[in-house]
Amino acid sequence: MALVQAVGRTNVPTPRAVGPRLPRVLVERPRLTSLLDADVPLTVLRAPLGFGKSTLVAQYLRERPDNAARAAWIRLGADFADRAQFWAAVLRALEDVPDLVVPDGPNPRARVRGALLQATDALTLVLDEFEHVTAQGVDDELLTILRDSRHLRLVVCLRG
């Protein structure tokens, strides 16, 4: 069983575990999970610490196993402020996505871009705690890849 996140474990009952461990008792939030069903390429969840952003996304993926099967979750921390570390983490997560071909090469960002542009099936990339990514230009690079990719859905969680 491949775990597609940098930190944490989960109890999501899918072939691949994606996201944080969910509490045993969850508050159902159908209005919010229905908003995550919107067919949009970018979703940004921004709220203070402890408001349930990560839990909401993990709950949404658990309730939709088809989406969870083609999802990569990266929990970012202070270690990911550097551009090279960020792209290396995204690359590691994508390498575990079933049926996603990741090209070879020395440049992690180029490999990520190549994999996402060649993808033929929908893929959800969750970037949790994105506020830690402070390297200049990462957000612009992500938006360019998102704009050019036909099958990528980006979900960004950040404190604010």
Side-chain angles (χ1 to χ4, degrees):
M1 180 182 271
L3 185 61
V4 183
Q5 65 183 62
V7 179
R9 296 183 346 205
T10 183
N11 58 359
V12 178
T14 60
R16 290 174 52 258
V18 178
R21 175 181 297 240
L22 292 173
R24 289 182 189 203
V25 178
L26 283 172
V27 174
E28 296 297 323
R29 299 182 279 183
R31 184 182 66 78
L32 294 176
T33 53
S34 70
L35 290 173
L36 287 173
D37 267 332
D39 188 20
V40 295
L42 174 63
T43 301
V44 177
L45 289 96
R46 184 175 181 192
L49 175 66
F51 272 59
K53 302 171 294 293
S54 302
T55 301
L56 174 68
V57 176
Q59 183 178 6
Y60 167 78
L61 290 174
R62 184 188 71 179
E63 292 170 359
R64 289 149 185 87
D66 290 344
N67 291 352
R70 300 260 319 149
W73 187 298
I74 305 163
R75 183 171 176 215
L76 303 160
D79 295 340
F80 294 94
D82 177 74
R83 173 188 247 147
Q85 291 170 322
F86 172 79
W87 288 112
V90 174
L91 179 62
R92 282 191 305 274
L94 292 181
E95 287 174 336
D96 287 338
V97 174
D99 302 321
L100 183 67
V101 177
V102 179
D104 291 329
N107 182 328
R109 185 188 60 77
R111 293 178 67 197
V112 166
R113 180 179 172 77
L116 294 175
L117 294 182
Q118 294 174 36
T120 57
D121 295 316
L123 181 135
T124 301
L125 176 60
V126 180
L127 300 175
D128 197 4
E129 298 185 25
F130 190 72
E131 70 275 4
H132 293 292
V133 179
T134 57
Q136 182 94 11
V138 169
D139 48 355
D140 289 333
E141 293 169 345
L142 271 171
L143 289 174
T144 298
I145 291 172
L146 183 63
R147 184 190 67 231
D148 295 343
S149 174
R150 295 187 320 265
H151 299 287
L152 175 62
R153 174 152 190 228
L154 185 60
V155 178
V156 178
C157 302
L158 65 146
R159 295 176 189 164

